[in-house]
Coordinates of all heavy atoms in Angstrom, one line a residue:
M709 N 64.2 37.4 140.2 CA 63.0 37.0 139.3 C 63.5 37.2 137.9 O 64.2 38.0 137.5 CB 62.0 38.1 139.6 CG 60.7 37.8 138.8 SD 59.5 39.2 138.8 CE 58.7 38.9 140.3
S710 N 63.1 36.2 137.1 CA 63.4 36.2 135.7 C 62.4 37.0 134.8 O 61.3 37.0 135.2 CB 63.5 34.8 135.2 OG 62.3 34.1 135.2
T711 N 62.9 37.6 133.8 CA 62.0 38.3 132.9 C 61.3 37.3 132.0 O 61.9 36.4 131.5 CB 62.9 39.3 132.0 OG1 63.6 40.1 132.9 CG2 62.0 40.1 131.2
A712 N 60.0 37.6 131.8 CA 59.2 36.7 130.9 C 59.7 36.8 129.4 O 60.1 37.9 129.0 CB 57.7 37.1 131.0
I713 N 59.7 35.7 128.8 CA 60.1 35.7 127.3 C 58.7 35.8 126.5 O 57.9 34.9 126.7 CB 60.9 34.4 127.0 CG1 62.1 34.3 127.8 CG2 61.1 34.3 125.6 CD1 62.9 33.0 127.7
P714 N 58.7 36.7 125.6 CA 57.4 36.9 124.9 C 57.2 35.6 124.0 O 58.2 35.0 123.4 CB 57.7 38.0 124.0 CG 58.8 38.8 124.7 CD 59.7 37.8 125.4
L715 N 56.0 35.1 124.0 CA 55.7 33.9 123.2 C 55.0 34.2 121.9 O 54.1 35.1 121.9 CB 54.8 33.0 124.1 CG 55.5 32.5 125.4 CD1 54.4 31.8 126.3 CD2 56.7 31.6 125.1
I716 N 55.2 33.5 120.9 CA 54.6 33.6 119.5 C 53.7 32.3 119.4 O 54.3 31.3 119.4 CB 55.7 33.7 118.5 CG1 56.5 34.9 118.7 CG2 55.0 33.8 117.1 CD1 57.7 35.0 117.9
P717 N 52.4 32.5 119.2 CA 51.6 31.4 118.9 C 52.0 30.7 117.6 O 52.5 31.3 116.7 CB 50.2 32.1 118.7 CG 50.3 33.3 119.4 CD 51.7 33.8 119.2
V718 N 51.9 29.4 117.6 CA 52.4 28.5 116.5 C 51.2 27.6 116.1 O 50.4 27.2 117.0 CB 53.7 27.8 116.7 CG1 54.8 28.8 116.9 CG2 53.5 26.8 117.9
Q719 N 51.2 27.0 114.9 CA 50.2 26.0 114.5 C 50.8 24.7 114.8 O 51.8 24.2 114.2 CB 50.0 26.2 112.9 CG 49.4 27.5 112.5 CD 47.9 27.4 112.8 OE1 47.5 27.5 113.9 NE2 47.1 27.3 111.7
S720 N 50.2 24.0 115.8 CA 50.7 22.7 116.2 C 49.6 22.1 117.2 O 49.0 22.8 117.9 CB 52.0 22.8 117.0 OG 52.4 21.6 117.6
G721 N 49.5 20.8 117.1 CA 48.6 20.1 117.9 C 49.2 20.0 119.4 O 48.4 19.8 120.2
Q722 N 50.5 20.0 119.5 CA 51.1 19.8 120.8 C 51.6 21.1 121.4 O 51.7 21.2 122.7 CB 52.4 18.9 120.6 CG 52.0 17.5 120.3 CD 53.3 16.7 120.1 OE1 54.3 16.9 120.6 NE2 53.2 15.5 119.4
I723 N 52.0 22.0 120.7 CA 52.7 23.2 121.1 C 51.8 24.5 120.8 O 51.5 24.7 119.7 CB 54.1 23.4 120.5 CG1 54.9 22.2 121.0 CG2 54.8 24.7 121.0 CD1 56.2 22.0 120.4
A724 N 51.5 25.3 121.9 CA 50.7 26.5 121.6 C 51.5 27.7 121.2 O 51.2 28.5 120.4 CB 50.0 26.8 122.9
A725 N 52.8 27.8 121.8 CA 53.5 29.0 121.6 C 55.0 28.8 121.8 O 55.4 27.9 122.8 CB 53.1 30.2 122.4
I726 N 55.9 29.5 121.2 CA 57.3 29.4 121.4 C 57.9 30.8 121.5 O 57.5 31.7 120.8 CB 58.0 28.8 120.1 CG1 57.4 27.4 119.9 CG2 59.5 28.7 120.2 CD1 57.8 26.8 118.5
G727 N 58.9 30.9 122.4 CA 59.6 32.2 122.5 C 61.1 31.9 122.6 O 61.5 30.8 122.9
Y728 N 61.9 33.0 122.4 CA 63.4 32.8 122.5 C 64.0 34.1 123.0 O 63.6 35.1 122.5 CB 63.9 32.4 121.1 CG 65.4 32.0 121.2 CD1 65.8 30.8 121.8 CD2 66.3 32.9 120.6 CE1 67.2 30.5 121.8 CE2 67.7 32.5 120.6 CZ 68.1 31.4 121.2 OH 69.4 31.0 121.3
D729 N 64.9 33.9 123.9 CA 65.7 35.0 124.4 C 67.1 34.8 123.9 O 67.9 33.9 124.5 CB 65.7 35.1 125.9 CG 66.4 36.2 126.6 OD1 67.4 36.8 125.9 OD2 66.1 36.6 127.6
E730 N 67.6 35.6 123.0 CA 68.9 35.5 122.4 C 70.0 35.8 123.3 O 71.1 35.1 123.3 CB 69.1 36.4 121.1 CG 68.3 35.9 120.0 CD 68.6 36.7 118.7 OE1 69.9 37.0 118.5 OE2 67.7 37.1 118.0
A731 N 69.8 36.7 124.3 CA 70.8 37.1 125.3 C 71.2 35.9 126.2 O 72.4 35.7 126.5 CB 70.4 38.2 126.1
T732 N 70.2 35.1 126.6 CA 70.5 34.0 127.5 C 70.4 32.6 126.8 O 70.6 31.6 127.4 CB 69.4 34.0 128.7 OG1 68.1 33.8 128.1 CG2 69.4 35.3 129.5
K733 N 70.1 32.6 125.5 CA 69.9 31.4 124.7 C 68.9 30.5 125.4 O 69.0 29.2 125.4 CB 71.3 30.7 124.5 CG 72.3 31.4 123.7 CD 73.5 30.6 123.5 CE 74.6 31.4 122.8 NZ 74.2 32.2 121.7
T734 N 67.8 31.1 125.8 CA 66.7 30.4 126.5 C 65.5 30.2 125.5 O 65.0 31.2 125.1 CB 66.3 31.0 127.8 OG1 67.4 31.2 128.7 CG2 65.1 30.2 128.5
L735 N 65.1 29.0 125.3 CA 63.9 28.7 124.5 C 62.8 28.5 125.4 O 62.8 27.8 126.4 CB 64.2 27.4 123.7 CG 63.0 27.0 122.9 CD1 62.7 27.9 121.7 CD2 63.3 25.5 122.4
A736 N 61.7 29.1 125.2 CA 60.4 29.0 126.0 C 59.4 28.3 125.2 O 59.2 28.7 124.0 CB 59.8 30.4 126.4
V737 N 58.8 27.3 125.8 CA 57.8 26.5 125.0 C 56.5 26.4 125.9 O 56.6 25.9 127.1 CB 58.3 25.1 124.7 CG1 57.2 24.3 124.0 CG2 59.5 25.1 123.9
Q738 N 55.4 26.8 125.4 CA 54.1 26.6 126.0 C 53.3 25.5 125.3 O 53.2 25.6 124.1 CB 53.2 27.8 126.1 CG 52.0 27.7 126.8 CD 51.2 29.0 126.9 OE1 51.1 29.8 126.0 NE2 50.6 29.2 128.1
F739 N 52.9 24.5 126.0 CA 52.2 23.3 125.3 C 50.7 23.6 125.2 O 50.2 24.5 125.8 CB 52.5 22.1 126.1 CG 53.9 21.6 126.0 CD1 54.8 22.1 127.0 CD2 54.4 20.9 124.9 CE1 56.1 21.7 126.9 CE2 55.8 20.6 124.8 CZ 56.6 21.0 125.9
A740 N 50.1 22.9 124.2 CA 48.7 23.1 124.0 C 47.8 22.8 125.1 O 46.7 23.5 125.4 CB 48.3 22.2 122.7
K741 N 48.2 21.9 126.0 CA 47.5 21.6 127.2 C 48.1 22.2 128.4 O 49.3 22.0 128.6 CB 47.4 20.1 127.4 CG 46.6 19.3 126.4 CD 46.5 17.9 126.7 CE 45.6 17.2 125.5 NZ 45.4 15.8 125.8
G742 N 47.5 23.1 129.1 CA 48.0 23.8 130.2 C 48.6 25.1 129.8 O 48.9 25.4 128.7
K743 N 48.8 26.0 130.9 CA 49.3 27.3 130.6 C 50.8 27.5 131.1 O 51.3 28.5 130.9 CB 48.4 28.4 131.3 CG 47.0 28.5 130.8 CD 46.3 29.6 131.4 CE 44.9 29.8 130.7 NZ 44.2 30.9 131.2
S744 N 51.3 26.5 131.7 CA 52.7 26.5 132.1 C 53.6 26.5 130.9 O 53.4 26.1 129.9 CB 53.0 25.3 133.0 OG 52.3 25.3 134.2
V745 N 54.8 27.2 131.2 CA 55.8 27.4 130.1 C 57.0 26.7 130.6 O 57.4 26.7 131.8 CB 56.1 28.9 129.9 CG1 57.3 29.1 128.9 CG2 54.8 29.6 129.4
Y746 N 57.7 26.0 129.7 CA 59.0 25.4 130.1 C 60.2 26.2 129.4 O 60.0 26.5 128.2 CB 59.0 24.0 129.6 CG 58.0 23.0 130.4 CD1 56.7 23.0 130.1 CD2 58.6 22.3 131.4 CE1 55.9 22.2 130.8 CE2 57.7 21.4 132.2 CZ 56.4 21.4 131.8 OH 55.5 20.6 132.5
H747 N 61.2 26.4 130.1 CA 62.4 27.0 129.6 C 63.5 26.1 129.4 O 63.8 25.3 130.3 CB 62.9 28.2 130.5 CG 62.0 29.4 130.5 ND1 62.4 30.6 131.3 CD2 61.0 29.8 129.9 CE1 61.6 31.5 131.0 NE2 60.6 31.0 130.2
Y748 N 64.1 26.1 128.2 CA 65.1 25.2 127.8 C 66.4 25.9 127.7 O 66.4 27.0 127.0 CB 64.8 24.4 126.5 CG 63.6 23.5 126.7 CD1 62.3 24.0 126.7 CD2 63.9 22.1 126.9 CE1 61.2 23.1 126.9 CE2 62.7 21.3 127.2 CZ 61.5 21.8 127.2 OH 60.4 20.9 127.4
A749 N 67.4 25.5 128.5 CA 68.7 26.3 128.5 C 69.7 26.0 127.4 O 69.7 24.9 126.9 CB 69.3 26.0 129.9
A750 N 70.5 27.0 127.1 CA 71.7 26.9 126.2 C 71.2 26.4 124.8 O 71.9 25.6 124.2 CB 72.7 25.9 126.8
V751 N 70.1 26.9 124.3 CA 69.7 26.5 123.0 C 70.2 27.5 121.9 O 69.9 28.7 122.0 CB 68.2 26.5 122.9 CG1 67.7 26.1 121.5 CG2 67.6 25.5 123.9
P752 N 71.1 27.0 121.0 CA 71.6 27.9 120.0 C 70.5 28.6 119.2 O 69.5 28.0 118.9 CB 72.5 27.0 119.2 CG 72.7 25.8 120.0 CD 71.5 25.7 120.9
A753 N 70.8 29.8 118.7 CA 69.8 30.5 117.9 C 69.4 29.7 116.6 O 68.3 29.8 116.2 CB 70.4 31.9 117.5
E754 N 70.4 28.9 116.0 CA 70.1 28.2 114.9 C 69.1 27.1 115.2 O 68.3 26.7 114.3 CB 71.4 27.5 114.4 CG 72.5 28.5 114.0 CD 73.3 29.0 115.2 OE1 73.3 28.4 116.2 OE2 73.8 30.1 115.0
V755 N 69.1 26.5 116.3 CA 68.1 25.5 116.7 C 66.8 26.1 116.8 O 65.7 25.6 116.4 CB 68.6 24.7 118.0 CG1 67.5 23.8 118.5 CG2 69.9 23.9 117.7
N756 N 66.7 27.2 117.5 CA 65.4 28.0 117.6 C 64.8 28.3 116.2 O 63.7 28.1 116.0 CB 65.6 29.3 118.4 CG 64.3 30.1 118.5 OD1 63.3 29.6 118.9 ND2 64.4 31.3 117.8
A757 N 65.7 28.8 115.3 CA 65.2 29.1 114.0 C 64.7 27.9 113.2 O 63.7 28.0 112.6 CB 66.4 29.8 113.2
A758 N 65.4 26.8 113.4 CA 65.0 25.5 112.8 C 63.7 25.0 113.4 O 62.8 24.6 112.7 CB 66.0 24.4 112.9
F759 N 63.6 25.2 114.7 CA 62.3 24.8 115.4 C 61.1 25.7 114.9 O 60.1 25.1 114.4 CB 62.4 25.1 116.9 CG 61.4 24.6 117.8 CD1 60.5 23.6 117.3 CD2 61.2 25.1 119.0 CE1 59.4 23.1 118.3 CE2 60.3 24.6 119.9 CZ 59.4 23.7 119.6
M760 N 61.3 26.9 114.7 CA 60.3 27.8 114.3 C 59.9 27.6 112.8 O 58.7 27.7 112.4 CB 60.6 29.3 114.4 CG 60.7 29.8 115.8 SD 59.2 29.7 116.8 CE 58.2 31.0 116.0
A761 N 60.9 27.2 112.0 CA 60.6 26.9 110.6 C 60.2 25.5 110.3 O 59.7 25.2 109.2 CB 61.9 27.2 109.8
S762 N 60.2 24.6 111.3 CA 59.9 23.2 111.1 C 58.3 23.1 110.8 O 57.5 23.8 111.3 CB 60.2 22.3 112.3 OG 59.4 22.7 113.4
E763 N 58.1 22.1 109.9 CA 56.7 21.8 109.4 C 56.0 21.2 110.6 O 54.8 21.5 110.8 CB 56.9 20.8 108.2 CG 55.8 21.2 107.2 CD 56.0 20.3 106.0 OE1 56.9 20.5 105.2 OE2 55.1 19.3 105.9
S764 N 56.6 20.3 111.4 CA 55.9 19.7 112.5 C 56.7 20.1 113.8 O 57.8 19.6 114.1 CB 55.9 18.2 112.4 OG 55.4 17.6 113.6
K765 N 56.1 21.1 114.5 CA 56.7 21.6 115.8 C 56.8 20.5 116.8 O 57.8 20.3 117.5 CB 56.0 22.7 116.3 CG 55.7 23.9 115.4 CD 56.9 24.7 115.2 CE 56.7 26.0 114.4 NZ 56.6 25.8 112.9
G766 N 55.8 19.6 116.9 CA 55.8 18.5 117.8 C 56.9 17.5 117.6 O 57.6 17.1 118.5
K767 N 57.1 17.2 116.3 CA 58.2 16.2 115.9 C 59.5 16.8 116.3 O 60.5 16.1 116.7 CB 58.1 15.8 114.5 CG 56.9 14.8 114.3 CD 56.8 14.3 112.9 CE 55.7 13.4 112.6 NZ 55.5 13.0 111.2
F768 N 59.7 18.0 115.8 CA 61.0 18.6 116.1 C 61.3 18.7 117.5 O 62.4 18.4 118.0 CB 61.0 20.1 115.5 CG 62.4 20.7 115.5 CD1 63.2 20.6 114.4 CD2 62.8 21.4 116.6 CE1 64.4 21.2 114.4 CE2 64.1 22.0 116.7 CZ 65.0 21.9 115.5
F769 N 60.3 19.1 118.3 CA 60.4 19.2 119.8 C 60.8 17.8 120.3 O 61.8 17.7 121.1 CB 59.2 19.7 120.4 CG 59.3 19.7 122.0 CD1 59.9 20.7 122.6 CD2 58.8 18.6 122.7 CE1 60.1 20.6 124.0 CE2 58.9 18.6 124.1 CZ 59.6 19.6 124.8
Q770 N 60.1 16.8 120.0 CA 60.3 15.5 120.6 C 61.7 15.0 120.1 O 62.4 14.2 120.9 CB 59.2 14.5 120.1 CG 57.9 14.8 120.7 CD 57.9 14.6 122.3 OE1 58.6 13.9 122.8 NE2 57.0 15.3 122.9
G771 N 62.1 15.2 118.9 CA 63.3 14.7 118.4 C 64.6 15.5 118.7 O 65.7 14.9 118.7
T772 N 64.5 16.8 118.9 CA 65.6 17.6 119.0 C 65.7 18.4 120.3 O 66.7 18.3 121.0 CB 65.6 18.7 117.9 OG1 65.7 18.0 116.6 CG2 66.9 19.6 118.0
I773 N 64.6 19.0 120.7 CA 64.7 19.9 121.9 C 64.7 19.0 123.2 O 65.6 19.1 124.1 CB 63.5 20.8 122.0 CG1 63.5 21.7 120.7 CG2 63.6 21.8 123.2 CD1 64.6 22.6 120.4
K774 N 63.6 18.3 123.4 CA 63.4 17.4 124.6 C 64.6 16.6 125.0 O 65.1 16.6 126.1 CB 62.2 16.6 124.5 CG 61.8 15.9 125.8 CD 60.5 15.2 125.6 CE 60.1 14.5 126.9 NZ 58.8 13.8 126.7
P775 N 65.2 15.8 124.0 CA 66.3 14.9 124.5 C 67.7 15.6 124.7 O 68.5 15.1 125.3 CB 66.4 13.9 123.4 CG 65.8 14.5 122.2 CD 64.7 15.5 122.7
Q776 N 67.8 16.9 124.2 CA 69.1 17.5 124.2 C 69.3 18.7 125.2 O 70.5 19.0 125.5 CB 69.4 17.9 122.8 CG 69.7 16.8 121.8 CD 70.1 17.3 120.5 OE1 70.8 18.3 120.4 NE2 69.7 16.6 119.4
Y777 N 68.2 19.2 125.7 CA 68.4 20.5 126.4 C 67.7 20.3 127.9 O 66.6 19.8 127.9 CB 67.8 21.7 125.6 CG 68.6 21.9 124.3 CD1 68.0 21.4 123.2 CD2 69.8 22.5 124.4 CE1 68.7 21.5 122.0 CE2 70.5 22.7 123.1 CZ 70.0 22.2 122.0 OH 70.6 22.3 120.8
N778 N 68.4 20.8 128.9 CA 67.8 20.8 130.2 C 66.7 21.9 130.2 O 66.7 22.9 129.6 CB 68.8 21.2 131.2 CG 69.9 20.1 131.3 OD1 69.6 19.0 131.2 ND2 71.2 20.6 131.6
H779 N 65.7 21.5 131.1 CA 64.5 22.5 131.2 C 64.1 22.7 132.6 O 64.5 22.0 133.5 CB 63.3 21.9 130.4 CG 62.7 20.7 131.0 ND1 63.2 19.4 130.8 CD2 61.7 20.6 131.9 CE1 62.5 18.6 131.5 NE2 61.6 19.3 132.1
R780 N 63.3 23.8 132.8 CA 62.7 24.1 134.0 C 61.3 24.6 133.8 O 61.0 25.3 132.8 CB 63.5 25.0 135.0 CG 63.6 26.4 134.4 CD 64.6 27.2 135.3 NE 64.8 28.5 134.8 CZ 64.2 29.6 135.1 NH1 63.4 29.6 136.2 NH2 64.5 30.8 134.6
L781 N 60.4 24.2 134.7 CA 59.0 24.7 134.6 C 58.8 26.1 135.1 O 59.3 26.4 136.2 CB 58.1 23.7 135.4 CG 56.6 24.1 135.6 CD1 55.9 24.0 134.2 CD2 56.0 23.1 136.5
I782 N 58.1 26.9 134.3 CA 57.8 28.3 134.8 C 56.2 28.2 135.0 O 55.5 28.2 134.1 CB 58.1 29.3 133.7 CG1 59.6 29.2 133.3 CG2 57.8 30.7 134.2 CD1 60.6 29.4 134.4
P783 N 55.7 28.1 136.2 CA 54.3 28.0 136.4 C 53.5 29.1 135.9 O 54.0 30.2 136.0 CB 54.2 27.9 138.0 CG 55.6 27.5 138.5 CD 56.5 28.1 137.5
A784 N 52.3 28.8 135.5 CA 51.4 29.8 135.1 C 51.0 30.7 136.3 O 50.9 30.1 137.4 CB 50.2 29.3 134.4
P785 N 50.7 32.0 136.1 CA 50.4 32.9 137.3 C 49.1 32.3 137.9 O 48.1 31.9 137.3 CB 50.1 34.2 136.6 CG 50.8 34.2 135.4 CD 50.9 32.8 134.9
A786 N 49.1 32.1 139.3 CA 48.0 31.5 140.0 C 46.7 32.4 140.0 O 45.6 31.9 140.0 CB 48.4 31.3 141.5
N787 N 46.9 33.7 139.8 CA 45.7 34.6 139.8 C 45.0 34.8 138.5 O 44.1 35.5 138.5 CB 46.0 35.9 140.5 CG 47.0 36.7 139.7 OD1 47.6 36.2 138.8 ND2 47.4 37.9 140.2
D788 N 45.5 34.2 137.4 CA 45.0 34.4 136.1 C 43.6 34.0 136.1 O 42.7 34.8 135.6 CB 45.8 33.5 135.1 CG 46.2 34.2 133.9 OD1 46.5 35.4 134.0 OD2 46.2 33.6 132.8
G789 N 43.2 32.8 136.4 CA 41.8 32.4 136.4 C 40.9 32.9 137.5 O 39.8 33.2 137.3
E790 N 41.5 33.2 138.7 CA 40.8 33.7 139.7 C 40.2 35.0 139.5 O 39.1 35.3 139.8 CB 41.6 33.8 141.0 CG 42.2 32.5 141.5 CD 43.1 32.6 142.7 OE1 43.4 33.6 143.2 OE2 43.7 31.5 143.0
A791 N 41.0 36.0 138.9 CA 40.5 37.3 138.6 C 39.3 37.2 137.7 O 38.3 38.0 137.9 CB 41.6 38.1 138.0
N792 N 39.4 36.3 136.7 CA 38.2 36.2 135.8 C 37.0 35.6 136.4 O 35.9 36.1 136.3 CB 38.6 35.4 134.6 CG 39.6 36.0 133.6 OD1 39.8 37.3 133.7 ND2 40.4 35.3 132.9
G793 N 37.3 34.7 137.2 CA 36.1 34.0 138.0 C 35.5 35.0 138.9 O 34.2 35.0 139.1
E794 N 36.3 35.8 139.6 CA 35.7 36.8 140.6 C 34.8 37.8 139.8 O 33.8 38.2 140.2 CB 36.8 37.5 141.4 CG 37.4 36.5 142.4 CD 38.6 37.1 143.1 OE1 38.8 38.4 142.9 OE2 39.4 36.4 143.7
A795 N 35.3 38.2 138.7 CA 34.6 39.3 138.0 C 33.3 38.7 137.4 O 32.3 39.4 137.4 CB 35.5 39.7 136.8
Q796 N 33.2 37.5 137.0 CA 32.0 36.9 136.5 C 31.0 36.6 137.7 O 29.9 36.7 137.4 CB 32.3 35.5 135.8 CG 33.1 35.8 134.5 CD 33.6 34.5 133.9 OE1 33.4 33.4 134.5 NE2 34.2 34.6 132.7
A797 N 31.6 36.3 138.8 CA 30.7 36.0 139.9 C 30.0 37.2 140.5 O 29.0 37.2 141.1 CB 31.4 35.2 141.0
A798 N 30.7 38.4 140.4 CA 30.2 39.6 141.1 C 29.0 40.2 140.3 O 28.7 39.9 139.2 CB 31.3 40.6 141.1

């Protein structure tokens, strides 16, 4: 099981939050639509810093991250909404 990478909310129409694990060089990106997180492998710390500092996170992602780094989907926890729904229904 992999350890979750803490996410930092960002100002962007496309991206909700970004996280980075320096030890594994893994970039985590959560998009504005949906709760799933994508992990991008072998991203240098300098690229993460430039991404965080970029004026347009969406443009930086589309032009630099997406075409250059392999990714995998980290699904959102299935019980996230269920627990809230059950509490409201009770």
Side-chain angles (χ1 to χ4, degrees):
M709 180 194 281
S710 63
T711 304
I713 298 172
L715 298 172
I716 299 167
V718 295
Q719 294 284 73
S720 171
Q722 294 181 19
I723 297 168
I726 300 169
Y728 186 70
D729 183 335
E730 288 190 44
T732 63
K733 296 187 184 311
T734 302
L735 176 70
V737 178
Q738 183 177 40
F739 293 93
K741 293 185 181 183
K743 292 188 176 189
S744 294
V745 174
Y746 290 83
H747 281 186
Y748 293 82
V751 177
E754 299 80 24
V755 172
N756 175 60
F759 188 21
M760 291 299 290
S762 66
E763 223 175 279
S764 173
K765 306 288 188 277
K767 284 183 183 176
F768 189 94
F769 174 81
Q770 292 295 335
T772 303
I773 306 297
K774 187 176 180 182
Q776 293 184 32
Y777 300 99
N778 293 324
H779 70 277
R780 66 185 174 102
L781 173 64
I782 309 299
N787 63 357
D788 227 34
E790 291 174 14
N792 289 340
E794 289 174 13
Q796 291 172 355

